[in-house]
Amino acid sequence: MVKAVVLGAAGGIGQPLSLLLKTNPLITELSLYDIVNTPGVAADLSHIATPAKVVGYLPPDDGLKKALTGAELVVIPAGVPRKPGMTRDDLFKINAGIVRDLATGIATTAPKAFVLVISNPVNSTVPIVAEVFKQKGVFDPKKIFGVTTLDVVRASTFVSEVLGDLSLAPKVVVPVVGGHSGVTIVPLLSQSSHPLPSGFAKEELDKLINRIQFGGDEVVKAKDGAGSATLSMAYAGYEFANKIIRAVKGEKGIIAPTFVNLAADKEGGEALKKEIGSDLDYFSAPVELGPEGVVSIKSLGKITDAETALVKAAIPELKTNVEKGVSFVGASK
Ligand code: NAD
Ligand code: LMR
C-alpha cells in the first residue's frame, strides 16, 4: 500500500508527474490537490488501467486535509515558474507562502510522510518545509528532500551528447551536488560513469559545466514566457519518487543526490561539512535511501581542484538562500 499525493497536481509539472505516478503499480492511492482543475485531471487519469485509485481535491471542504490523510509520499510542484530574465530566487515572494501553507497541512495531517519539494527556489523552500515541521514538533530530517534530480538527468543527457551517442544517456551517471540554482549546481564530471573524451579541452569542459548549471534557463528561454521545464521535471520527479518507493519497499543500496538537512545523518553530515569547509545545514549530496528515508549522507569522494573551487563558489549563495527560507518561517510565526 502506498498513498501518494501531488500538491499542485493541475500544473505543468503536476499533470505529467501524476500520470507517471499513476503508472506505478506499487501506488494504490493517488490524491491530486490544486487550487484549480483537479477533478478533471483525476477523472482523466482514473480511466488508466493501473491499481491506483485517483481522487482530485480542491481547497473547499477541507480538500487539502482530505488529500493528505494517510499519505506516505507527498510531492510538491505547486507554485509559479520563471519567465525569461527571472532567477529562481525571484519566485520566493510567491512560492515561499504557498510552500509554507502546504507544509503546515502536511505537518498537521501526514507528519510521517516523505516530502519531496520541487517548487522553486528549492534551496529556500526545503528549509521552509523543515522549519514548519520544527514549529509543529514533527521534524524528521530523514524524510524531507529537495528534488535536484533534473540536474542529474541533464548531466547524463549532456554528457552523452558530448560523447556523440544519446543511446548512452540512460546509463551515464554523474553526481550533481550543492543546490538547485545556477552556480550552486555542481556537477562532478570527474566521477562520470562514462569519462569525457580524452583530450577534452578545458573550454569545452567549462561549457559543459555551464550548460548543466544553467540548463533551466535554456528551457525558460525556449518557452519564451510560457514557463519553465515541466516534462523533463515530471520525468525527473518521478525517477526520484520511484527511488523512494523502492527504498521503502526494502530495496537496498539506492543512492541519489538530493538536497537535505545535514542532520539527517549526524556523522555523515558533519563529515560532509568538514569536507566542503562550511557550517551549512543543507546541501545536496549523494544520499543512501532506506525504508525510513535517509540512511546515510555520502562523502563527495575524490574530486578535482576545479570541482573543489566550484563547491566553494556555491556556498555563499546556498547560505543566503537557506537563511532566507529559515527566517521567512521565523517571521511568519
Ligand atoms: P505551473 O504554473 O504550470 O503549475 C503550478 C501549479 O501550482 C498550478 O496548477 C497552480 O494552480 C498550483 N498552485 C498554486 N498555488 C497553489 C496552492 N496554494 N496549493 C496548491 N496548488 C497551487 O508551474 P510548473 O511549471 O508546474 O512549476 C511549478 C514549480 O516547480 C515552479 O516553482 C518551478 O520553478 C518549479 N520547478 C522546479 C524544478 C526543480 O528541478 N526542482 C524544475 C522545474 C520547475
Ligand atoms: C529547472 O532547473 O528547469 C527548474 O528549476 C526551473 C527553472 O526555473 O529553471
Side-chain angles (χ1 to χ4, degrees), residues 81-82 88 91 120 150-151 154 180 215-217 219-220 228-229:
R82 284 197 288 163
R88 291 179 183 81
L91 304 172
N120 270 318
L150 182 52
D151 305 315
R154 285 183 177 132
H180 179 68
D217 298 54
V219 181
V220 169
S228 56

Side-chain angles (χ1 to χ4, degrees), residues 266-320:
K266 251 195 160 91
E267 208 176 301
E270 286 307 317
L272 185 71
K273 285 185 195 183
K274 282 210 181 85
E275 199 176 341
I276 64 175
S278 164
D279 60 354
L280 266 173
D281 288 328
Y282 292 84
F283 199 79
S284 181
V287 162
E288 183 176 350
L289 301 166
E292 303 303 323
V294 174
V295 173
S296 60
I297 296 171
K298 304 287 181 198
S299 152
L300 302 187
K302 192 171 174 307
I303 62 176
T304 65
D305 289 349
E307 288 165 348
T308 302
L310 289 176
V311 170
K312 276 214 157 16
I315 289 170
E317 187 168 319
L318 274 174
K319 239 190 162 102
T320 310

Side-chain angles (χ1 to χ4, degrees), residues 82 103 167 170 176 196 234 308 325:
R82 284 197 288 163
S167 74
V176 183
L196 295 167
T308 302

Side-chain angles (χ1 to χ4, degrees), residues 6-16 33-37 59 64 76-82 88 91 94-95 97-99 101-102 117-122 125 146-151 154 180 223 226-230 232-234 236:
V6 181
L7 304 179
I13 296 167
Q15 290 202 36
Y33 176 82
D34 200 301
I35 51 174
V36 290
N37 299 339
L64 180 60
I76 316 181
V80 291
R82 284 197 288 163
R88 291 179 183 81
L91 304 172
I94 298 178
N95 291 352
I98 293 175
V99 171
D101 296 347
L102 294 173
V117 186
I118 292 174
S119 315
N120 270 318
V122 167
T125 50
V147 183
T148 56
T149 319
L150 182 52
D151 305 315
R154 285 183 177 132
H180 179 68
K223 291 202 174 178
S228 56
T230 54
S232 51
M233 181 60 235

